[in-house]
Amino acid sequence: MTPSTSGRELRADARLNREQIIEAARALFAERGPDVPTEEVARRACVGTGTLYRRFPDRQALISAVALDGFHRVVAIARTAEDEEPDAWRALMRFVHQARTELRVATWLSVWFASTWADLQEDPENRRLREILLKILDRLVRRAQSDGDMRPDVGTGDLALLIALLLRPIPGLRAELTQRSADRSLALMLESLRARDDTQHLPDRGITAADLDPGN
């Protein structure tokens, strides 16, 4: 084995370890909340604690990596839904259903690790992914409204905030019921967004994607 081959294998192993740790942390946070010991994450990832700390020197670094990985997944789901579905309304429904786990974890992380989340908002990659996602959702909302499938008084910001609010953890509610209630609430949300002739108009103007920009 040449030195260059050995180096490539080491880099591949390091990348695999990193991916396993992120996936294990993501799953454990979703299952058991914010107090999962680092050692438990290492065991779930089938790596030693030393390996985990080499990849993520502290809990903040691990949380940030889990969040960014989730953002990448959410953007990929949104892109695929927009590209593959025959109309915007179906693309929105597909996005909400397929991205709900990633969005739930992201929402919970923002509540459980508020200071880390605040720092993450300044990360250039996070801002880039956020902008991409909001642009995709904005296109889908406008198209669905143009098609007559979505009520016209709802903005992209309304949709994003509704999803975040519905996925927030409820203190004292067991994890299984929290997940069931969130899935049902998202289904009710989508149904309420459908265009109907007898729909009561919402107060004030719709919240737009631009309204969610921290700089505004």
Side-chain angles (χ1 to χ4, degrees):
M1 179 163 46
T2 66
S4 61
T5 301
S6 176
R8 284 196 299 271
E9 290 181 351
L10 286 173
R11 287 193 296 273
D13 287 344
R15 184 168 59 252
L16 178 60
N17 285 340
R18 187 177 191 279
E19 291 171 355
Q20 289 174 325
I21 293 167
I22 290 173
E23 179 58 31
R26 168 184 170 273
L28 286 168
F29 286 144
E31 292 169 11
R32 294 167 47 186
D35 299 323
V36 176
T38 303
E39 293 77 11
E40 182 66 22
V41 175
R43 280 195 294 272
R44 175 72 69 92
C46 298
V47 301
T49 53
T51 297
L52 188 150
Y53 283 117
R54 280 196 297 274
R55 305 290 173 255
F56 305 101
D58 53 40
R59 198 169 181 83
Q60 181 173 343
L62 177 59
I63 294 163
S64 296
V66 171
L68 279 176
D69 179 72
F71 292 157
H72 277 283
R73 295 183 190 214
V74 168
V75 169
I77 291 169
R79 280 175 167 158
T80 303
E82 183 180 32
D83 291 342
E84 295 183 354
E85 290 301 322
D87 59 62
W89 179 253
R90 291 187 189 184
L92 281 172
M93 288 195 297
R94 174 172 169 174
F95 167 75
V96 171
H97 288 304
Q98 292 190 353
R100 66 185 186 278
T101 298
E102 304 301 338
L103 293 170
R104 181 183 298 119
V105 172
T107 301
W108 291 4
L109 291 178
S110 72
V111 174
W112 292 331
F113 306 105
S115 60
T116 300
W117 197 263
D119 292 339
L120 185 61
Q121 302 313 297
E122 303 303 318
D123 183 273
E125 179 66 1
N126 173 66
R127 293 184 66 87
R128 185 184 74 86
L129 293 169
R130 176 190 174 94
E131 289 173 4
I132 292 172
L133 178 61
L134 286 176
K135 285 179 180 178
I136 295 172
L137 292 181
D138 200 47
R139 287 197 299 268
L140 293 176
V141 166
R142 292 174 186 272
R143 282 174 47 206
Q145 290 171 331
S146 178
D147 293 341
D149 294 324
M150 186 172 183
R151 56 187 299 164
D153 56 347
V154 172
T156 304
D158 289 311
L159 175 64
L161 289 173
L162 276 171
I163 293 172
L165 288 169
L166 292 175
L167 293 177
R168 288 177 69 86
I170 302 173
L173 200 63
R174 65 183 186 274
E176 178 270 338
L177 187 54
T178 296
Q179 180 171 331
R180 282 178 51 207
S181 66
D183 290 344
R184 288 176 58 82
S185 296
L186 288 173
L188 285 168
M189 177 200 73
L190 287 171
E191 188 61 26
S192 72
L193 294 178
R194 281 188 174 277
R196 290 185 176 84
D197 293 336
D198 60 346
T199 299
Q200 183 176 351
H201 195 77
L202 295 172
D204 205 351
R205 66 172 180 85
I207 298 173
T208 67
D211 290 329
L212 299 183
D213 187 338
N216 289 339

